[in-house]
Amino acid sequence: MKKIITYGTFDLLHYGHINILKRAKQLGDYLIVAISTNEFNEIKGKKCYFSYEERKKLVESIRYVDLVIPENNWEQKVDNVKEYNVDTFVMGDDWKGQFDHLKDYCEVVYLPRTPEISTTRIKKELGLGK
Ligand code: C2G
């Protein structure tokens, strides 16, 4: 059973998120998604429209996703990889190179982002500010 893990905020869920989750799942058999908690988003400087519970419910309903866990801090990734016996860590290539230290524990794959769409753009175009 090849296990994949990926991390994100997944606020205002859109097709860019679906694309990366679909492609991440195609790399293995079981996809774990770690979603930033409200507290961690404060640290990330990201203001979320939906709470952690609401974002978790949305991501859990996606057919490619097998398990959702909370992302509480930047440092938990190595522990998660060990705890869940993860084979491959996946992130969009806006993070390219940022997580290469995980190569000591699992395969690291950066996938091309879906162009144009972003939560920030949706908020801006809806006049919700940044
Ligand atoms: N993404 C994408 N295409 C987009 C938008 C996002 O492929 N048009 C990908 C991002 O590259 C990321 C995932 O979707 O892999 C989640 O994106 P965000 O919710 O913006 O996550 P982020 O705030 O980058 O948090 O520890 C890692 C952080 O939690 C990542």
Side-chain angles (χ1 to χ4, degrees):
M1 154 105 82
K2 194 168 177 204
K3 299 174 88 173
I4 316 291
I5 196 164
T6 190
Y7 293 74
T9 306
F10 296 99
D11 193 26
L12 297 183
L13 198 63
H14 54 67
Y15 62 88
H17 295 135
I18 302 302
N19 286 345
I20 193 150
L21 294 174
K22 179 175 184 177
R23 288 178 297 162
K25 181 58 176 282
Q26 285 167 346
L27 296 176
D29 312 291
Y30 188 89
L31 175 61
I32 302 164
V33 182
I35 297 186
S36 318
T37 58
N38 300 331
E39 296 73 18
F40 183 44
N41 275 318
E42 295 275 312
I43 296 168
K44 280 165 66 172
K46 276 203 157 185
K47 192 145 174 28
C48 269
Y49 185 78
F50 289 129
S51 71
Y52 170 76
E53 286 308 324
E54 289 159 341
R55 287 178 284 119
K56 177 172 185 284
K57 190 181 288 188
L58 283 160
V59 172
E60 275 175 343
S61 67
I62 298 168
R63 62 171 34 190
Y64 311 116
V65 176
D66 296 287
L67 175 68
V68 170
I69 62 172
E71 182 184 26
N72 298 297
N73 56 61
W74 292 111
E75 300 74 29
Q76 71 182 71
K77 294 183 175 68
V78 172
D79 294 338
N80 292 156
V81 168
K82 288 180 186 166
E83 183 186 351
Y84 291 98
N85 289 316
V86 167
D87 298 284
T88 307
F89 166 89
V90 172
M91 282 305 288
D93 61 5
D94 46 317
W95 290 94
K96 194 164 182 59
Q98 302 299 309
F99 300 111
D100 288 356
H101 64 283
L102 295 175
K103 285 181 178 169
D104 298 338
Y105 304 95
C106 63
E107 196 189 358
V108 174
V109 174
Y110 299 104
L111 296 173
R113 275 174 71 92
T114 303
E116 282 116 48
I117 186 72
S118 73
T119 307
T120 311
R121 178 173 173 192
I122 295 169
K123 284 182 183 174
K124 226 165 64 209
E125 295 192 6
L126 290 178
L128 297 172
K130 273 202 65 66

